[in-house]
Amino acid sequence: MVRIVQVSDLHIEAEPETMFPGVGRVLEEASEVIRALAPDLLVVTGDLTTFGSSRPRDLVLARQWLEQLDRPWVAIAGNHDLGSSPERALRHPETEAYEPLPLARTHFGTVFGPQPVSAVDLGAVEVVAFNLRAGDPDNTLPAIRQAVEQSAKPVILCGHYPLEPVRVGGPCSAEASQATGSFLPELATLVQPLVAQYDHIRLYLAGHVHVNSRLPLSPHCLQLTTGGLGPGASSLRVFTVAQGWVRYDTLLGPGPQGFWERVAPAMGPYPPAYHLGTSEEQGGEWRLEP
Ligand SMILES: [Fe+2]
Ligand SMILES: [Fe+2]
Protein backbone atom coordinates (compact mmCIF):
# COMPACT_ATOMS: atom_id res chain seq x y z
CA MET A 1 0.00 0.00 0.00
CA VAL A 2 1.24 3.48 -0.86
CA ARG A 3 -0.08 6.63 0.77
CA ILE A 4 0.23 10.03 -0.90
CA VAL A 5 -1.00 13.25 0.66
CA GLN A 6 -1.68 16.27 -1.56
CA VAL A 7 -1.87 19.78 -0.18
CA SER A 8 -2.01 22.99 -2.16
CA ASP A 9 -2.11 26.75 -1.93
CA LEU A 10 -0.43 27.16 1.44
CA HIS A 11 0.12 30.90 0.78
CA ILE A 12 2.80 31.18 3.47
CA GLU A 13 3.85 34.77 4.26
CA ALA A 14 6.69 36.16 6.32
CA GLU A 15 5.51 38.08 9.42
CA PRO A 16 3.63 40.35 9.53
CA GLU A 17 1.10 38.44 7.44
CA THR A 18 -0.84 40.88 5.30
CA MET A 19 -2.76 39.03 2.59
CA PHE A 20 -4.12 36.11 4.60
CA PRO A 21 -3.43 36.78 8.30
CA GLY A 22 -3.34 33.56 10.30
CA VAL A 23 -1.96 31.20 7.63
CA GLY A 24 1.20 30.54 9.64
CA ARG A 25 -0.80 29.30 12.62
CA VAL A 26 -3.05 27.18 10.37
CA LEU A 27 -0.04 25.53 8.75
CA GLU A 28 1.51 24.81 12.13
CA GLU A 29 -1.66 22.92 13.08
CA ALA A 30 -1.77 21.20 9.69
CA SER A 31 1.78 19.91 10.27
CA GLU A 32 0.49 17.66 13.05
CA VAL A 33 -2.18 16.18 10.76
CA ILE A 34 0.34 15.49 7.99
CA ARG A 35 2.88 13.91 10.33
CA ALA A 36 0.20 11.65 11.79
CA LEU A 37 -0.73 10.49 8.27
CA ALA A 38 2.93 9.59 7.64
CA PRO A 39 2.62 9.72 3.84
CA ASP A 40 5.11 7.95 1.58
CA LEU A 41 5.09 11.21 -0.36
CA LEU A 42 3.66 14.67 0.24
CA VAL A 43 2.81 16.52 -2.97
CA VAL A 44 2.39 20.31 -2.88
CA THR A 45 0.67 21.60 -6.02
CA GLY A 46 1.81 25.21 -5.92
CA ASP A 47 1.18 28.57 -4.36
CA LEU A 48 3.41 27.66 -1.47
CA THR A 49 3.55 31.41 -0.86
CA THR A 50 1.66 34.60 -1.76
CA PHE A 51 4.67 36.87 -2.39
CA GLY A 52 7.39 34.33 -3.23
CA SER A 53 7.76 35.47 -6.85
CA SER A 54 9.07 38.82 -5.61
CA ARG A 55 10.20 37.91 -2.06
CA PRO A 56 12.45 34.84 -1.88
CA ARG A 57 12.50 34.77 1.92
CA ASP A 58 8.87 33.58 1.80
CA LEU A 59 9.94 30.64 -0.40
CA VAL A 60 12.62 29.81 2.16
CA LEU A 61 9.93 29.75 4.87
CA ALA A 62 7.85 27.40 2.73
CA ARG A 63 10.80 25.07 2.28
CA GLN A 64 11.46 25.12 6.03
CA TRP A 65 7.81 24.20 6.66
CA LEU A 66 8.14 21.22 4.32
CA GLU A 67 11.38 20.03 5.84
CA GLN A 68 10.12 20.12 9.43
CA LEU A 69 7.43 17.59 8.44
CA ASP A 70 10.19 15.02 8.11
CA ARG A 71 8.49 13.18 5.22
CA PRO A 72 9.51 12.86 1.55
CA TRP A 73 8.00 15.70 -0.45
CA VAL A 74 7.79 17.17 -3.91
CA ALA A 75 6.69 20.77 -4.47
CA ILE A 76 5.90 22.69 -7.64
CA ALA A 77 5.45 26.39 -8.21
CA GLY A 78 2.17 28.23 -8.45
CA ASN A 79 1.69 31.61 -10.10
CA HIS A 80 2.53 33.24 -6.73
CA ASP A 81 5.86 31.39 -6.43
CA LEU A 82 7.04 31.72 -10.06
CA GLY A 83 5.26 34.35 -12.15
CA SER A 84 3.48 32.70 -15.08
CA SER A 85 3.75 35.50 -17.65
CA PRO A 86 4.94 39.12 -18.16
CA GLU A 87 1.32 40.14 -18.81
CA ARG A 88 0.12 38.88 -15.42
CA ALA A 89 3.12 40.56 -13.74
CA LEU A 90 2.09 43.94 -15.13
CA ARG A 91 -1.20 43.64 -13.27
CA HIS A 92 0.19 41.95 -10.13
CA PRO A 93 3.82 43.05 -9.72
CA GLU A 94 4.21 41.96 -6.09
CA THR A 95 2.22 38.74 -6.05
CA GLU A 96 3.00 37.40 -9.56
CA ALA A 97 6.36 38.94 -10.50
CA TYR A 98 7.75 37.51 -13.73
CA GLU A 99 11.47 36.79 -13.92
CA PRO A 100 12.78 36.62 -17.51
CA LEU A 101 15.46 34.17 -16.42
CA PRO A 102 16.14 30.45 -16.72
CA LEU A 103 14.24 28.55 -14.03
CA ALA A 104 17.52 27.77 -12.19
CA ARG A 105 18.10 31.51 -11.64
CA THR A 106 14.58 32.46 -10.56
CA HIS A 107 13.75 32.85 -6.88
CA PHE A 108 11.80 29.59 -7.02
CA GLY A 109 14.58 27.71 -8.81
CA THR A 110 17.15 28.98 -6.33
CA VAL A 111 15.18 27.73 -3.33
CA PHE A 112 13.49 24.60 -4.76
CA GLY A 113 15.89 23.46 -7.49
CA PRO A 114 16.38 24.05 -11.20
CA GLN A 115 14.43 21.10 -12.61
CA PRO A 116 11.15 21.83 -14.46
CA VAL A 117 9.90 18.28 -13.81
CA SER A 118 10.35 15.97 -10.81
CA ALA A 119 9.60 12.27 -11.07
CA VAL A 120 9.23 10.11 -7.95
CA ASP A 121 8.93 6.34 -8.24
CA LEU A 122 6.78 4.99 -5.40
CA GLY A 123 6.75 1.37 -6.54
CA ALA A 124 3.10 0.95 -7.50
CA VAL A 125 2.86 4.39 -9.13
CA GLU A 126 5.09 7.16 -10.38
CA VAL A 127 4.44 10.79 -9.48
CA VAL A 128 5.46 13.34 -12.15
CA ALA A 129 5.19 16.98 -11.05
CA PHE A 130 5.90 19.99 -13.26
CA ASN A 131 6.50 23.76 -13.20
CA LEU A 132 5.14 25.52 -16.28
CA ARG A 133 5.35 29.14 -17.45
CA ALA A 134 3.71 30.81 -20.44
CA GLY A 135 5.55 30.03 -23.67
CA ASP A 136 7.31 27.15 -21.88
CA PRO A 137 10.73 28.88 -21.54
CA ASP A 138 11.89 26.06 -19.25
CA ASN A 139 11.24 23.25 -21.78
CA THR A 140 8.85 21.64 -19.36
CA LEU A 141 6.68 19.96 -21.98
CA PRO A 142 9.45 17.79 -23.48
CA ALA A 143 10.57 16.91 -19.94
CA ILE A 144 7.05 15.78 -18.98
CA ARG A 145 6.84 13.71 -22.14
CA GLN A 146 10.19 12.07 -21.41
CA ALA A 147 9.27 11.26 -17.81
CA VAL A 148 5.92 9.79 -18.84
CA GLU A 149 7.42 7.75 -21.68
CA GLN A 150 10.11 6.36 -19.38
CA SER A 151 7.60 5.16 -16.84
CA ALA A 152 6.05 1.71 -17.19
CA LYS A 153 3.83 2.41 -14.18
CA PRO A 154 0.57 4.29 -13.71
CA VAL A 155 1.49 7.99 -13.62
CA ILE A 156 0.04 10.61 -11.29
CA LEU A 157 0.72 13.90 -13.08
CA CYS A 158 0.76 17.05 -10.92
CA GLY A 159 0.57 20.69 -12.02
CA HIS A 160 -0.63 23.90 -10.43
CA TYR A 161 -3.47 24.75 -12.80
CA PRO A 162 -6.50 22.59 -13.59
CA LEU A 163 -6.66 21.52 -17.25
CA GLU A 164 -10.43 21.95 -17.32
CA PRO A 165 -12.62 24.42 -15.38
CA VAL A 166 -13.86 22.82 -12.20
CA ARG A 167 -17.16 24.59 -11.53
CA VAL A 168 -20.19 25.83 -13.42
CA GLY A 169 -20.56 29.51 -12.45
CA GLY A 170 -18.50 31.68 -10.11
CA PRO A 171 -14.75 32.35 -10.18
CA CYS A 172 -13.74 28.71 -10.91
CA SER A 173 -15.84 28.48 -14.08
CA ALA A 174 -14.83 28.62 -17.75
CA GLU A 175 -16.55 32.00 -18.16
CA ALA A 176 -14.61 33.50 -15.26
CA SER A 177 -11.22 32.31 -16.54
CA GLN A 178 -11.99 33.75 -19.98
CA ALA A 179 -13.03 37.07 -18.44
CA THR A 180 -9.93 37.46 -16.27
CA GLY A 181 -7.43 36.23 -18.86
CA SER A 182 -5.95 32.78 -18.66
CA PHE A 183 -2.76 32.26 -16.66
CA LEU A 184 -1.37 29.91 -19.27
CA PRO A 185 -3.22 30.06 -22.58
CA GLU A 186 -1.33 27.05 -23.90
CA LEU A 187 -1.97 24.83 -20.90
CA ALA A 188 -4.99 23.06 -22.35
CA THR A 189 -3.52 22.80 -25.85
CA LEU A 190 -0.14 21.47 -24.70
CA VAL A 191 -0.80 19.34 -21.65
CA GLN A 192 -4.22 17.96 -22.61
CA PRO A 193 -2.85 16.11 -25.68
CA LEU A 194 -0.26 14.41 -23.45
CA VAL A 195 -3.01 13.22 -21.17
CA ALA A 196 -4.96 11.98 -24.19
CA GLN A 197 -1.93 10.30 -25.77
CA TYR A 198 -0.60 8.37 -22.78
CA ASP A 199 -3.27 6.26 -21.20
CA HIS A 200 -1.05 5.37 -18.26
CA ILE A 201 -1.48 8.95 -16.98
CA ARG A 202 -4.32 8.05 -14.61
CA LEU A 203 -4.64 11.06 -12.33
CA TYR A 204 -4.00 14.76 -12.83
CA LEU A 205 -3.69 16.62 -9.51
CA ALA A 206 -3.86 20.41 -9.35
CA GLY A 207 -4.56 23.34 -7.06
CA HIS A 208 -4.91 27.04 -7.82
CA VAL A 209 -8.72 27.16 -7.64
CA HIS A 210 -8.83 26.62 -3.85
CA VAL A 211 -11.75 24.19 -4.19
CA ASN A 212 -12.11 20.44 -3.93
CA SER A 213 -13.19 19.06 -7.30
CA ARG A 214 -13.31 15.91 -9.44
CA LEU A 215 -13.60 15.85 -13.22
CA PRO A 216 -12.76 13.03 -15.66
CA LEU A 217 -10.51 14.44 -18.42
CA SER A 218 -10.75 11.22 -20.44
CA PRO A 219 -11.92 7.64 -19.84
CA HIS A 220 -8.56 6.90 -18.20
CA CYS A 221 -7.57 10.16 -16.48
CA LEU A 222 -9.28 11.88 -13.58
CA GLN A 223 -8.55 15.51 -12.65
CA LEU A 224 -8.72 16.25 -8.93
CA THR A 225 -8.12 19.58 -7.22
CA THR A 226 -7.83 20.28 -3.52
CA GLY A 227 -8.57 23.38 -1.47
CA GLY A 228 -6.17 26.04 -0.22
CA LEU A 229 -4.69 24.54 2.94
CA GLY A 230 -3.65 27.91 4.40
CA PRO A 231 -6.25 30.55 3.44
CA GLY A 232 -9.11 28.19 2.52
CA ALA A 233 -10.98 26.27 1.59
CA SER A 234 -8.71 24.33 3.93
CA SER A 235 -8.41 20.65 3.05
CA LEU A 236 -6.00 17.81 2.32
CA ARG A 237 -6.31 14.94 -0.12
CA VAL A 238 -5.27 11.46 0.97
CA PHE A 239 -4.58 8.86 -1.74
CA THR A 240 -4.28 5.18 -0.97
CA VAL A 241 -2.86 3.06 -3.78
CA ALA A 242 -3.41 -0.69 -3.67
CA GLN A 243 -3.92 -3.47 -6.21
CA GLY A 244 -4.36 -1.38 -9.29
CA TRP A 245 -6.77 1.11 -7.73
CA VAL A 246 -6.44 4.43 -5.97
CA ARG A 247 -8.80 5.56 -3.25
CA TYR A 248 -9.00 9.35 -2.74
CA ASP A 249 -10.37 10.99 0.38
CA THR A 250 -10.67 14.52 1.69
CA LEU A 251 -9.74 15.68 5.18
CA LEU A 252 -10.76 19.10 6.37
CA GLY A 253 -7.78 21.29 7.24
CA PRO A 254 -7.55 23.57 10.28
CA GLY A 255 -8.06 26.80 8.25
CA PRO A 256 -11.19 28.56 6.95
CA GLN A 257 -13.65 26.38 5.04
CA GLY A 258 -14.52 29.14 2.57
CA PHE A 259 -12.33 31.32 0.36
CA TRP A 260 -14.05 32.92 -2.61
CA GLU A 261 -16.69 34.80 -0.60
CA ARG A 262 -13.77 36.84 0.82
CA VAL A 263 -11.87 37.22 -2.44
CA ALA A 264 -14.70 37.60 -4.97
CA PRO A 265 -17.89 38.33 -2.99
CA ALA A 266 -19.76 39.68 -6.02
CA MET A 267 -19.40 36.40 -7.91
CA GLY A 268 -21.30 34.37 -5.30
CA PRO A 269 -23.41 32.99 -3.75
CA TYR A 270 -21.17 30.21 -2.45
CA PRO A 271 -23.04 27.26 -1.00
CA PRO A 272 -20.72 24.91 0.99
CA ALA A 273 -20.46 22.52 -1.99
CA TYR A 274 -18.82 25.28 -4.07
CA HIS A 275 -15.68 24.84 -2.02
CA LEU A 276 -15.87 21.34 -0.61
CA GLY A 277 -17.58 19.66 -3.56
CA THR A 278 -20.13 16.86 -3.63
CA SER A 279 -19.57 13.58 -1.79
CA GLU A 280 -18.23 12.11 -5.06
CA GLU A 281 -15.75 14.98 -5.33
CA GLN A 282 -14.64 14.44 -1.75
CA GLY A 283 -14.06 10.72 -1.91
CA GLY A 284 -14.07 7.79 -4.30
CA GLU A 285 -12.01 5.29 -6.24
CA TRP A 286 -10.34 5.28 -9.64
CA ARG A 287 -8.76 2.48 -11.60
CA LEU A 288 -5.00 2.87 -12.09
CA GLU A 289 -4.45 0.01 -14.49
CA PRO A 290 -6.36 -0.79 -17.69
FE1 LIG B 1 -3.63 29.99 -4.61
FE1 LIG C 1 -2.54 29.91 -8.12
Side-chain angles (χ1 to χ4, degrees):
M1 194 193 85
V2 174
R3 178 179 283 167
I4 300 166
V5 169
Q6 179 202 5
V7 297
S8 201
D9 297 84
L10 317 178
H11 286 274
I12 288 171
E13 287 180 52
E15 297 278 355
E17 296 168 333
T18 55
M19 187 71 86
F20 301 116
V23 288
R25 187 190 47 76
V26 167
L27 292 167
E28 224 176 277
E29 277 182 51
S31 297
E32 298 304 316
V33 180
I34 295 166
R35 278 200 212 98
L37 288 166
D40 298 293
L41 184 69
L42 175 72
V43 177
V44 191
T45 44
D47 284 356
L48 294 131
T49 68
T50 293
F51 297 100
S53 64
S54 66
R55 225 167 62 182
R57 70 177 187 273
D58 291 27
L59 293 166
V60 172
L61 276 181
R63 188 171 172 126
Q64 287 169 348
W65 182 81
L66 283 166
E67 283 173 352
Q68 56 90 35
L69 296 170
D70 224 11
R71 302 302 306 172
W73 55 266
V74 61
I76 53 176
N79 48 302
H80 289 285
D81 311 310
L82 176 72
S84 63
S85 72
E87 292 73 32
R88 294 275 319 171
L90 284 176
R91 280 188 279 164
H92 307 284
E94 279 182 61
T95 55
E96 297 184 44
Y98 186 79
E99 298 163 273
L101 294 170
L103 180 59
R105 287 168 51 207
T106 62
H107 297 321
F108 184 82
T110 306
V111 177
F112 282 93
Q115 66 285 350
V117 171
S118 303
V120 183
D121 187 345
L122 291 172
V125 287
E126 184 142 358
V127 172
V128 175
F130 65 87
N131 301 308
L132 185 61
R133 296 193 278 176
D136 196 14
D138 310 308
N139 293 313
T140 298
L141 265 297
I144 299 174
R145 186 178 290 278
Q146 192 183 25
V148 170
E149 279 183 357
Q150 280 175 358
S151 179
K153 298 177 178 176
V155 168
I156 299 179
L157 187 63
C158 307
H160 180 56
Y161 310 93
L163 299 183
E164 290 286 345
V166 303
R167 291 282 184 264
V168 175
C172 303
S173 64
E175 311 79 63
S177 57
Q178 276 160 12
T180 55
S182 173
F183 285 77
L184 287 173
E186 64 271 73
L187 183 70
T189 53
L190 296 183
V191 182
Q192 278 274 32
L194 286 181
V195 171
Q197 182 182 350
Y198 298 104
D199 63 7
H200 64 301
I201 303 178
R202 308 302 291 197
L203 287 179
Y204 177 69
L205 308 186
H208 184 60
V209 282
H210 291 227
V211 305
N212 201 43
S213 74
R214 171 199 189 276
L215 186 72
L217 296 172
S218 73
H220 59 83
C221 186
L222 183 68
Q223 171 180 282
L224 293 168
T225 65
T226 189
L229 183 64
S234 188
S235 64
L236 308 87
R237 287 280 200 192
V238 182
F239 299 90
T240 313
V241 177
Q243 293 168 341
W245 286 79
V246 59
R247 159 115 217 133
Y248 60 93
D249 289 293
T250 299
L251 294 185
L252 296 186
Q257 282 312 316
F259 177 71
W260 289 106
E261 68 281 345
R262 280 175 284 144
V263 176
M267 294 183 85
Y270 299 101
Y274 196 87
H275 288 98
L276 197 53
T278 61
S279 60
E280 204 187 19
E281 289 178 298
Q282 291 170 42
E285 291 183 338
W286 190 254
R287 189 185 279 278
L288 286 178
E289 283 163 15

